[in-house]
Amino acid sequence: MSLTITSPAARLSSPEPGEDKTEALPPRTYQVRTFGCQMNVHDSERMAGLLEDAGMVPAVGTQADVVVFNTCAVRENADNKLYGNLGMLAPVKAANPGMQIAVGGCLAQKDRDTILRKAPWVDAVFGTHNVGALPALLERARHNNEAQLEILESLDVFPSTLPTKRDSVYAGWVSISVGCNNTCTFCIVPALRGKEKDRRPGDILAEIQALVDDGAIEVTLLGQNVNSYGVEFGDRHAFSKLLRACGEIKGLERVRFTSPHPAAFTDDVIDAMAETPNVMPQLHMPLQSGSDSILKAMKRSYRSTKFLGILDKVRERIPHAAISTDIIVGFPGETEEDFQATLDVVARSRFATAFTFQYSKRPGTPAADLDEQLPKAVVQERFERLTALQDRIAAEENAKQLGRRVEVMVTAHSGRKSEETHRLSGRSQDQRLVHFSVPEGAQTPRPGDLVTVTITEAAAFHLVADPDLADYSLRRSRAGDAWDRSQADSCGVPAPSAGGNSGQAGKTGVSLGMPALPPRMG
């Protein structure tokens, strides 16, 4: 479906008569604002890549000429958040007629022309299946002086073939599939992203290799259900094979994946995790509920015994694995007995982290029409009991890390108290957040470098390491070299050669998601 709707607010100012239209203008600036999950974050990298490929540059400290909202339809109040943000931009655009606003993502796929009806100052609306149309829609809106709405019902181009502006030079997301074949009654994702489409293994590995050649040392494999990867081309062991193939990529130090589905979680995946050194000892696997009757009502095709059995097998093979999960509280018909079953599974599972959500209706999902919708007060009270239990467990599990030496990959973002604590931040191999100090006389790491430190403090949501000089070990990495090059490039300074694939230095940071492998240097 492709539909164009006229919007007076989309009118742009034209050059005055006699104005010199050949004068070089500065490039337009853009900003992408992301709501939602890791898939949305990765889609936003592609939107940024497309805009930069079209000649735009990121906005820094000023109002952008183009603002793109990449929306979520799963999180509570997603529509209120979008329309609130659009409302705040209405007077800004009125004062800057050349400004453009675009809305994409899951909410755009669901609401379609509702967005232009509620916010007629928006210039372009596009869905989850045609991210690549963004620059063309913006240009068409400018040329035609009218808003553009284009929503496709199925994927036109696999997103990984689009230009990509990576958020990080030291770590990257890699989609192995899009869409979902499950029918969970609370979830609208299959309706918005379609049936599962799998990429060929060679294309995935080529993208990973290109990231590594550019300096990345960590990748996260993405899919709505990563462990069902291969269903489209008939290989039920395709995901475990992919994990093992990642282990053969020289220079790739950390491999993660999210999110698997318990119903499709098989022993060959556990074996691949345990036997592939660069697959990290970390697993995020959604539980959703510990009650078998609620799991049945959710159409989650596993039961609590199977879920707990998977955790036992993972911990048997990978004793120090940190396991995280998603849980929904207050699903329609949930009784106190059902909720107690969830508490029991959480107590047994000993999750390092849990993302907990209060159920709320999502129009278009079967669960929205179920009887026995629970009162808000009941859901809130259960939610507070669950989070109190999980916070206690997380604190206890983190306390077990005291005295352990851990390798931390330094990130570009430090904790909110970093100015007063003078600590940097990073992630351990099991994905725990670690704030650490650099001892006096030691070399300061760059984002992408790796430090090894001993944990000295533990809290529910983070660990702390304040090492002395003898306890502090720094390993400067190719990823840190890539960070240096990216900073030099952003300042217009020639990037230093770090060896290896130095032919990548000096590029803009926009790369194809599935490029041909660059030639090796030297």
Side-chain angles (χ1 to χ4, degrees):
M1 173 182 133
S2 179
L3 177 66
T4 300
I5 296 180
T6 301
S7 170
R11 304 262 191 270
L12 303 177
S13 59
S14 302
E16 295 295 329
E19 181 180 342
D20 182 5
K21 291 182 280 187
T22 64
E23 181 181 350
L25 297 174
R28 302 177 80 204
T29 61
Y30 76 88
Q31 180 186 66
V32 180
R33 303 185 187 180
T34 309
F35 306 134
C37 65
Q38 294 97 329
M39 296 292 284
N40 278 36
V41 172
H42 194 30
D43 285 346
S44 290
E45 291 183 332
R46 305 201 187 287
M47 293 174 194
L50 287 159
L51 296 175
E52 293 203 10
D53 203 45
M56 300 184 199
V57 297
V60 179
T62 58
Q63 178 60 53
D65 298 317
V66 173
V67 177
V68 182
F69 291 93
N70 186 12
T71 62
C72 171
V74 175
R75 304 292 171 87
E76 189 173 7
N77 297 322
D79 52 348
N80 291 338
K81 179 178 283 189
L82 170 65
Y83 294 119
N85 277 271
L86 291 176
M88 288 187 285
L89 281 183
V92 178
K93 179 169 180 178
N96 298 276
M99 179 185 180
Q100 289 186 291
I101 301 171
V103 179
C106 291
L107 194 65
Q109 186 79 23
K110 181 173 76 74
D111 283 3
R112 306 183 179 218
D113 54 342
T114 301
I115 294 172
L116 290 178
R117 189 169 67 248
K118 290 186 175 183
W121 53 92
V122 168
D123 297 276
V125 178
F126 59 101
T128 59
H129 297 307
N130 60 324
V131 171
L134 172 58
L137 293 174
L138 289 169
E139 185 56 35
R140 200 186 307 162
R142 286 214 297 172
H143 182 272
N144 296 346
N145 287 340
E146 60 187 17
Q148 302 294 309
L149 167 65
E150 185 174 281
I151 304 292
L152 301 184
E153 300 301 335
S154 60
L155 202 63
D156 59 345
V157 175
F158 205 100
S160 293
T161 63
L162 300 174
T164 302
K165 171 65 181 296
R166 302 281 180 179
D167 274 352
S168 165
V169 296
Y170 46 83
W173 310 98
V174 176
S175 291
I176 67 171
S177 63
V178 295
C180 179
N181 293 337
N182 292 312
T183 56
C184 302
T185 56
F186 57 81
C187 185
I188 199 169
V189 167
L192 302 181
R193 291 193 176 265
K195 292 291 186 181
E196 181 174 325
K197 300 286 289 182
D198 293 333
R199 294 176 68 190
R200 303 304 297 184
D203 294 340
I204 297 168
L205 295 171
E207 179 177 353
I208 295 172
Q209 183 68 64
L211 281 171
V212 172
D213 288 344
D214 276 345
I217 60 174
E218 176 178 300
V219 297
T220 301
L221 306 177
L222 287 180
Q224 297 300 147
N225 297 295
V226 289
N227 55 328
S228 65
Y229 172 71
V231 65
E232 192 178 20
F233 50 84
D235 185 350
R236 57 190 293 267
H237 294 133
F239 185 61
S240 61
K241 292 176 183 176
L242 183 63
L243 289 178
R244 292 183 186 275
C246 287
E248 300 298 319
I249 298 177
K250 186 177 180 180
L252 179 60
E253 299 196 25
R254 295 185 172 197
V255 177
R256 306 186 192 279
F257 57 88
T258 193
S259 294
H261 194 293
F265 208 94
T266 50
D267 289 351
D268 62 298
V269 173
I270 299 174
D271 292 339
M273 292 174 64
E275 296 166 9
T276 309
N278 63 358
V279 175
M280 293 294 94
Q282 175 241 337
L283 173 66
H284 180 80
M285 189 166 65
L287 168 65
Q288 305 303 6
S289 175
S291 162
D292 288 350
S293 62
I294 294 299
L295 288 172
K296 182 178 180 180
M298 289 178 168
K299 287 198 173 179
R300 300 284 289 178
S301 47
Y302 58 89
R303 298 297 176 257
S304 58
T305 300
K306 178 178 177 64
F307 185 93
L308 290 166
I310 293 170
L311 269 54
D312 288 342
K313 289 179 180 179
V314 169
R315 286 177 169 140
E316 180 181 351
R317 296 297 312 276
I318 314 168
H320 293 299
I323 299 175
S324 56
T325 196
D326 298 330
I327 301 172
I328 296 172
V329 177
F331 188 82
E334 180 188 78
T335 65
E336 178 60 28
E337 182 181 8
D338 293 323
F339 178 66
Q340 186 58 53
T342 295
L343 295 180
D344 292 343
V345 173
V346 168
R348 278 195 57 186
S349 298
R350 307 294 298 179
F351 296 117
T353 306
F355 299 90
T356 52
F357 305 91
Q358 297 185 38
Y359 173 81
S360 59
K361 286 186 177 183
R362 292 292 179 270
T365 62
D369 299 324
L370 292 176
D371 295 332
E372 299 181 275
Q373 301 284 333
L374 272 60
K376 170 65 175 177
V378 172
V379 179
Q380 180 67 35
E381 189 272 338
R382 290 178 183 173
F383 178 80
E384 290 173 2
R385 273 193 283 158
L386 173 61
T387 54
L389 171 62
Q390 176 54 39
D391 289 354
R392 177 176 61 79
I393 292 171
E396 292 170 354
E397 291 301 304
N398 274 355
K400 295 177 183 178
Q401 308 302 309
L402 289 171
R404 283 191 63 195
R405 283 184 65 74
V406 298
E407 184 183 67
V408 178
M409 188 172 81
V410 183
T411 59
H413 306 290
S414 296
R416 54 187 175 85
K417 295 182 179 180
S418 59
E419 287 190 9
E420 59 185 83
T421 62
H422 304 291
R423 294 186 181 112
L424 300 178
S425 300
R427 294 283 175 175
S428 62
Q429 290 185 326
D430 64 9
Q431 194 67 343
R432 284 183 165 92
L433 175 63
V434 181
H435 302 302
F436 66 95
S437 57
V438 178
E440 186 175 351
Q443 188 175 16
T444 299
R446 306 159 298 177
D449 284 339
L450 298 114
V451 298
T452 301
V453 291
T454 300
I455 301 302
T456 55
E457 296 179 33
F461 305 112
H462 67 269
L463 302 171
V464 174
D466 287 325
D468 57 27
L469 192 57
D471 182 54
Y472 175 82
S473 173
L474 166 64
R475 177 160 63 91
R476 290 170 68 84
S477 71
R478 295 182 312 101
D481 295 338
W483 171 264
D484 278 345
R485 293 197 299 273
S486 71
Q487 297 305 291
D489 289 350
S490 67
C491 296
V493 179
S497 173
N501 185 28
S502 58
Q504 294 299 304
K507 293 196 174 181
T508 63
V510 180
S511 62
L512 286 180
M514 191 181 65
L517 296 184
R520 296 198 177 277
M521 308 296 290

